[in-house]
Amino acid sequence: MGSPYSTQSVETGYRFSEAALSSGHQIYRIFFYHDGVHCANSLSTPPQDEDNLPELWQQLTTQYHVDVVVCVASALKRGILDQKEAERFDKDHFNLTEPFELSGLGQLIDASAHSDRVITFAS
Amino acid sequence: MGSPYSTQSVETGYRFSEAALSSGHQIYRIFFYHDGVHCANSLSTPPQDEDNLPELWQQLTTQYHVDVVVCVASALKRGILDQKEAERFDKDHFNLTEPFELSGLGQLIDASAHSDRVITFAS
Amino acid sequence: MVLNIINKSPFSHSAFSECLAVLGDNDRVLLIEDGVYAAQADTEYAKTITALAGNNQFYILQADAQARGIADRINHDVQAVDYTQFVELTTVCNVVHSWY
Amino acid sequence: MVLNIINKSPFSHSAFSECLAVLGDNDRVLLIEDGVYAAQADTEYAKTITALAGNNQFYILQADAQARGIADRINHDVQAVDYTQFVELTTVCNVVHSWY
Amino acid sequence: MRHAPYGRSLAREGLDALMASAVFDQDLSLLFINDGVFQLKESQNTESIRQKNLEKMLAALSLYGVNDILVDQQALEQRQLSVEDLSLPVITLSATEIADLFQQQHVIFQF
Amino acid sequence: MRHAPYGRSLAREGLDALMASAVFDQDLSLLFINDGVFQLKESQNTESIRQKNLEKMLAALSLYGVNDILVDQQALEQRQLSVEDLSLPVITLSATEIADLFQQQHVIFQF
């Protein structure tokens, strides 16, 4: 839920997920809420000596086939759009990174019901 | 410096600027730093019952000819790019709202030196 | 004369207490956003403000107090201001210091 | 058994004190990010932790302590863990509660 | 709910998540601690700060089947709030009762 | 500097602003209060959290002509830090001296 490059929580969440997946645990879904939606911004261009967090999330979750969902209500107001939403709101551009998907809070509730543990990395 | 839709500081800064300009004060420059750079995201699409903060800033500062500068280092890592930076980093899209301009911290220092008061609206 | 602006709740963050520990004579303090909770009457923070109110002046942004439903229970040593008066305060003081 | 995770400095935020006020018997507390400052030896927070350490277990994320230069001055009642042990802690406890 | 309303959007986004949860018929408990109790303060008027009024969102909770509103007694006292100052009827809990409540949960979201 | 390093990026972005200011030859004072004093703690090793090492950034300050590093004495004491624990030589100030310092400024940036 924290903002990348502003709070450490995104990095901590990433390291935790990496450790969980590489030691054989399953992650049902990662849900990006509140400022966490900025993690899916494909336009992020950090300096070369810093982690590219959207890219790292993309690689990790693709490798382990983890579902990554961005809260659509949080994302729209914060300016994170996929192509479909951009068209709907008549914007010339969009910036959602693949394989992130925009969806509703129902995906968070569904994940909570289908997981043994739910862990929040907050700002 | 706060993030719109996550902290109230952007709204407070906006109301303050509006009150200052409409009562005849001059604003030399508004400098968006840290998470404040998200104020310049043209893709922001808030629900209809909420303020569109990038649009409000755009209108106010255009009306009163206020210089609005977005810190380029803060912006790039947070995924706020103008067309020029997008081309430089080989991105298909960009999202900086006009008349916001990307520039360096020197613009903050210059503004501090040329203003009677400097006020921070922080998250 | 410094205008100190505090935007955090004193119950959750140390900004309020820290700011008050380094006030100069005749400094001013403006409480905005979640900072307005420090201006509620009868809390421990009200006592701190009242003790300092001889040397320092305390203000609260009225819009923020109204939003939070506490405009009718503000400490008598704290004066409500609107955005225009907020602007005037920044011109009266020599420098503005935001605590967050 | 609840695993409580705290990521804020106890000197600046109330999260640490609030969490400790509602700990259950045998609950665990993991200090991460700026939360690790609560684990420094000899501070007022060290005393609080030591008083509770009979019923509760306290952990600190080693990477965060190293980053902040305090890994060599951690309270003896607090145990250092890496990310893999962090994952194990979340499986050992029944529920995870993040304070921030 | 541990955070004050309006200064940050956590309270608002927490309520959104709560309502989504209720819509999906999840069995849930709603507890206000620390500055979160300020969300329940009556007479909130958000017109001049142009934010959605959380008091009104909270009033709609019963439509979502959320009836029991639990509140930390000590948080109220520290803030000089009585239950009469709140916009909704609440059940107050002691620190021990809160600790017990946390033990019984499968998932905890703090906002 | 009032905020701890690493948990939020304020310390980092504050140092960036400070260096920009020094490059433009501004006359400035640098003061560490509250958790900001943790920025000065020696032996920071940020490899495993992959952030830029602020201790190294601070060490470069003298190249930018920033020589006097002012620190709140009380903030150090409260955190059980002595000046020997810090990576740079500092000048400690009392609360009164800090209040006076603020009075003398034309602009104050807090990070």
Side-chain angles (χ1 to χ4, degrees):
Chain A
M1 279 180 34
S3 190
Y5 306 111
S6 299
T7 66
Q8 201 192 335
S9 56
V10 173
E11 186 81 33
T12 306
Y14 176 77
R15 298 283 152 227
F16 176 89
S17 306
E18 200 183 27
L21 292 166
S22 70
S23 59
H25 293 281
Q26 272 206 323
I27 296 182
Y28 181 84
R29 178 172 295 145
I30 302 176
F31 189 83
F32 294 82
Y33 194 42
H34 196 70
D35 277 340
V37 302
H38 291 301
C39 289
N41 187 340
S42 63
L43 302 178
S44 283
T45 318
Q48 299 206 325
D49 59 346
E50 289 182 47
D51 280 349
N52 186 320
L53 289 164
E55 227 172 81
L56 283 176
W57 279 113
Q58 182 184 35
Q59 287 162 7
L60 182 73
T61 56
T62 307
Q63 184 189 343
Y64 288 97
H65 308 286
V66 179
D67 194 22
V68 275
V69 173
V70 176
C71 172
V72 62
S74 293
L76 290 185
K77 53 174 93 165
R78 290 180 178 82
I80 308 293
L81 306 185
D82 60 11
Q83 188 163 8
K84 206 183 92 205
E85 294 294 334
E87 282 165 13
R88 186 155 80 93
F89 290 105
D90 235 0
K91 304 275 185 183
D92 295 334
H93 296 278
F94 58 92
N95 57 355
L96 188 80
T97 309
E98 287 189 349
F100 289 94
E101 259 179 73
L102 295 181
S103 190
L105 277 162
Q107 300 290 316
L108 172 62
I109 311 307
D110 166 77
S112 308
H114 287 89
S115 305
D116 294 325
R117 301 286 180 278
V118 176
I119 300 147
T120 306
F121 294 92
S123 67
Chain B
M1 278 180 32
S3 190
Y5 307 109
S6 300
T7 68
Q8 202 193 333
S9 57
V10 173
E11 187 81 33
T12 306
Y14 176 78
R15 300 282 152 226
F16 176 90
S17 306
E18 200 183 29
L21 292 166
S22 71
S23 60
H25 293 281
Q26 273 206 324
I27 296 182
Y28 181 83
R29 178 172 294 147
I30 303 175
F31 189 83
F32 294 83
Y33 193 43
H34 195 70
D35 277 341
V37 301
H38 292 300
C39 289
N41 187 340
S42 62
L43 302 179
S44 283
T45 318
Q48 298 205 326
D49 60 345
E50 288 182 49
D51 280 349
N52 187 319
L53 289 164
E55 227 171 83
L56 283 176
W57 279 113
Q58 183 185 34
Q59 287 163 7
L60 182 75
T61 56
T62 307
Q63 183 189 345
Y64 288 97
H65 308 287
V66 179
D67 195 21
V68 273
V69 173
V70 176
C71 171
V72 62
S74 294
L76 291 185
K77 54 173 92 165
R78 290 180 179 82
I80 308 294
L81 306 185
D82 60 10
Q83 188 164 8
K84 205 183 94 207
E85 294 294 334
E87 282 165 13
R88 187 155 77 95
F89 290 106
D90 235 2
K91 305 275 186 183
D92 295 334
H93 297 277
F94 59 92
N95 57 354
L96 188 80
T97 310
E98 286 190 349
F100 289 93
E101 259 179 71
L102 295 181
S103 189
L105 277 162
Q107 300 290 317
L108 172 63
I109 310 307
D110 166 77
S112 309
H114 287 90
S115 305
D116 294 326
R117 301 287 180 277
V118 176
I119 300 147
T120 307
F121 294 93
S123 67
Chain C
M1 192 191 342
V2 182
L3 173 63
N4 293 279
I5 302 179
I6 305 172
N7 76 347
K8 289 287 181 296
S9 163
F11 297 99
S12 296
H13 291 78
S14 59
F16 177 80
S17 309
E18 284 175 61
C19 169
L20 265 52
V22 293
L23 280 189
D25 273 357
N26 204 22
D27 272 5
R28 316 226 165 161
V29 178
L30 170 63
L31 304 167
I32 66 169
E33 303 173 7
D34 291 344
V36 299
Y37 290 120
Q40 271 197 113
D42 305 322
T43 65
E44 53 179 306
Y45 305 108
K47 287 177 205 136
T48 317
I49 288 178
T50 300
L52 290 166
N55 277 323
N56 304 104
Q57 281 182 277
F58 288 84
Y59 304 88
I60 188 174
L61 194 54
Q62 180 72 350
D64 285 326
Q66 283 168 343
R68 288 160 182 81
I70 61 167
D72 61 351
R73 49 170 68 195
I74 297 303
N75 185 339
H76 290 301
D77 293 310
V78 178
Q79 193 182 324
V81 297
D82 62 19
Y83 289 102
T84 309
Q85 291 166 313
F86 177 4
V87 172
E88 292 315 312
L89 268 179
T90 63
T91 64
V92 170
C93 297
N94 305 104
V95 61
V96 182
H97 185 182
S98 296
W99 296 76
Y100 61 98
Chain D
M1 192 192 340
V2 182
L3 174 63
N4 293 278
I5 303 178
I6 305 171
N7 76 346
K8 290 286 181 296
S9 162
F11 296 99
S12 296
H13 291 79
S14 59
F16 176 81
S17 309
E18 285 176 59
C19 169
L20 265 52
V22 292
L23 279 189
D25 273 358
N26 204 23
D27 271 5
R28 317 224 165 163
V29 178
L30 171 64
L31 304 166
I32 66 170
E33 303 172 7
D34 291 345
V36 300
Y37 291 121
Q40 270 196 114
D42 305 322
T43 66
E44 51 178 306
Y45 306 108
K47 285 177 207 134
T48 316
I49 288 178
T50 300
L52 289 166
N55 276 323
N56 304 103
Q57 281 182 275
F58 289 84
Y59 303 88
I60 188 175
L61 194 54
Q62 180 72 350
D64 285 327
Q66 283 169 342
R68 290 159 181 81
I70 61 166
D72 60 351
R73 47 169 70 195
I74 296 304
N75 185 338
H76 289 302
D77 293 309
V78 178
Q79 192 181 325
V81 297
D82 60 21
Y83 289 101
T84 308
Q85 291 166 313
F86 178 3
V87 172
E88 291 314 312
L89 268 178
T90 64
T91 63
V92 171
C93 297
N94 305 104
V95 59
V96 182
H97 185 182
S98 296
W99 297 76
Y100 61 100
Chain E
M1 296 284 176
R2 222 195 107 235
H3 295 90
Y6 309 120
R8 295 173 71 187
S9 65
L10 288 169
R12 162 69 195 280
E13 286 171 301
L15 285 178
D16 285 344
L18 177 73
M19 287 178 178
S21 200
V23 164
F24 287 89
D25 268 338
Q26 299 296 307
D27 183 25
L28 60 86
S29 303
L30 170 60
L31 168 68
F32 292 83
I33 59 176
N34 188 41
D35 282 341
V37 303
F38 281 132
Q39 296 179 34
L40 292 163
K41 177 73 181 65
E42 47 148 31
S43 313
Q44 298 175 23
N45 177 350
T46 57
E47 255 170 60
S48 44
I49 67 161
R50 307 225 211 168
Q51 285 195 41
K52 199 158 177 172
N53 190 318
L54 295 185
E55 187 176 345
K56 290 184 186 155
M57 279 181 81
L58 283 166
L61 280 183
S62 61
L63 304 177
Y64 289 78
V66 180
N67 293 308
D68 288 354
I69 296 180
L70 311 174
V71 174
D72 178 0
Q73 174 65 33
Q74 216 191 327
L76 286 180
E77 284 167 15
Q78 204 193 355
R79 288 161 187 78
Q80 299 288 323
L81 294 173
S82 67
V83 292
E84 288 79 39
D85 295 322
L86 308 184
S87 62
L88 292 171
V90 301
I91 300 164
T92 57
L93 300 185
S94 68
T96 322
E97 290 170 318
I98 292 172
D100 288 345
L101 181 69
F102 286 141
Q103 303 296 325
Q104 296 155 20
Q105 307 307 309
H106 169 61
V107 177
I108 301 174
F109 290 117
Q110 182 186 102
F111 286 103
Chain F
M1 296 284 176
R2 222 195 107 234
H3 295 91
Y6 309 119
R8 294 173 70 189
S9 64
L10 289 168
R12 162 69 194 280
E13 286 171 302
L15 285 178
D16 285 344
L18 177 75
M19 287 178 179
S21 199
V23 164
F24 287 89
D25 268 337
Q26 300 296 307
D27 183 26
L28 61 86
S29 302
L30 171 59
L31 168 68
F32 292 83
I33 59 177
N34 188 40
D35 282 341
V37 302
F38 281 132
Q39 296 178 36
L40 292 163
K41 176 72 180 69
E42 46 147 31
S43 313
Q44 297 174 24
N45 177 351
T46 58
E47 255 170 62
S48 43
I49 66 160
R50 309 226 213 168
Q51 285 195 44
K52 200 158 174 169
N53 190 319
L54 295 184
E55 187 175 347
K56 289 184 186 155
M57 279 181 82
L58 283 165
L61 280 182
S62 61
L63 304 177
Y64 289 78
V66 180
N67 293 308
D68 287 355
I69 295 179
L70 310 174
V71 175
D72 178 359
Q73 173 66 34
Q74 217 191 325
L76 286 180
E77 284 167 15
Q78 205 193 354
R79 289 163 185 76
Q80 299 290 322
L81 293 172
S82 68
V83 292
E84 288 79 39
D85 295 321
L86 307 183
S87 61
L88 292 171
V90 301
I91 300 165
T92 57
L93 299 185
S94 69
T96 321
E97 289 169 318
I98 292 172
D100 289 345
L101 181 69
F102 286 141
Q103 303 296 324
Q104 297 156 19
Q105 306 306 310
H106 169 60
V107 177
I108 301 175
F109 290 117
Q110 182 187 101
F111 286 102

